Amino acid sequence: KWQEQECQNQKKDATFSYVRFKLIRIQHQILSQEIPTPKICIKSRMELPIFFINLDRDTERRELLQQQFKALSLQGHRLDAVWWTNLSEEEQARWYSPALNAKQYYKPLVNGEKGCYASHIKAWQQLLESDAPAMVVLEDDVQLLTDFGAAIQAIAQLEQGWDMIPLFGRKK
């Protein structure tokens, strides 16, 4: 019973710290602040909204991806990507810690990687501000396979809880 209450309270209690926690796990702990693990509750048999990250200037990529969605009878929603150098120094310091990155990795992220990272943070914020229990996040250079819609439906039907399912494919 308490788990059900935790699931109901998860959206209410979701804060920016929750976003930072999730992105620490997903982005290999680049941020510097330690954050306790929240309870993750994903309901089964849900509809998964699909978002794609896209810079304003990348209209060709946007159009190609929208054509793919249309061909698969899917609805994709654009999420404006972050151009790292357009952020103030305060915003950059809030999203990325060079000191922590140096402790864990061999080289610092370049601005494009930092912008991609910040864009994924925006995606998590979008999820937390919505009523959706989960979402699909794509980058605008993805090439969707014909069974992508079926894969997303299968994920939505999973009975067990999950917090992230990475989807990868390679051309043979």
Side-chain angles (χ1 to χ4, degrees), residues 2-145:
W2 68 269
Q3 275 187 319
E4 186 175 308
Q5 184 63 39
E6 281 292 317
C7 287
Q8 291 171 359
N9 290 336
Q10 178 177 344
K11 290 295 240 181
K12 294 177 193 170
D13 296 337
T15 63
F16 186 67
S17 293
Y18 176 78
V19 173
R20 289 179 63 171
F21 167 78
K22 294 297 292 178
L23 288 163
I24 286 171
R25 290 183 60 208
I26 293 167
Q27 299 294 341
H28 309 290
Q29 300 181 348
I30 293 173
L31 297 176
S32 60
Q33 189 173 357
E34 297 266 339
I35 297 170
T37 303
K39 300 282 187 252
I40 307 294
C41 302
I42 301 295
K43 295 180 182 178
S44 63
R45 305 197 194 302
M46 65 187 137
E47 292 292 321
L48 296 177
I50 302 171
F51 285 83
F52 64 96
I53 297 170
N54 173 258
L55 287 167
D56 281 334
R57 68 181 190 166
D58 286 336
T59 56
E60 185 176 333
R61 283 184 174 192
R62 178 171 44 250
E63 290 167 4
L64 288 172
L65 187 51
Q66 288 172 334
Q67 289 172 11
Q68 291 182 69
F69 287 133
K70 186 176 181 180
L72 297 174
S73 300
L74 296 172
Q75 179 67 40
H77 307 280
R78 181 178 176 273
L79 184 66
D80 188 25
V82 173
W83 188 259
W84 186 256
T85 55
N86 287 348
L87 298 177
S88 69
E89 287 184 23
E90 293 82 21
E91 289 173 302
Q92 289 181 10
R94 186 170 141 206
W95 301 123
Y96 178 72
S97 169
L100 184 59
N101 185 72
K103 288 181 187 177
Q104 297 181 5
Y105 303 100
Y106 298 106
K107 62 180 184 169
L109 296 181
V110 296
N111 287 342
E113 293 168 320
K114 293 174 192 175
C116 182
Y117 171 71
S119 297
H120 282 269
I121 291 173
K122 282 181 65 174
W124 281 102
Q125 288 174 324
Q126 176 75 28
L127 173 61
L128 292 174
E129 292 168 3
S130 75
D131 292 331
M135 71 190 313
V136 176
V137 179
L138 305 170
E139 294 183 12
D140 63 1
D141 60 348
V142 68
Q143 291 185 355
L144 302 176
L145 300 177

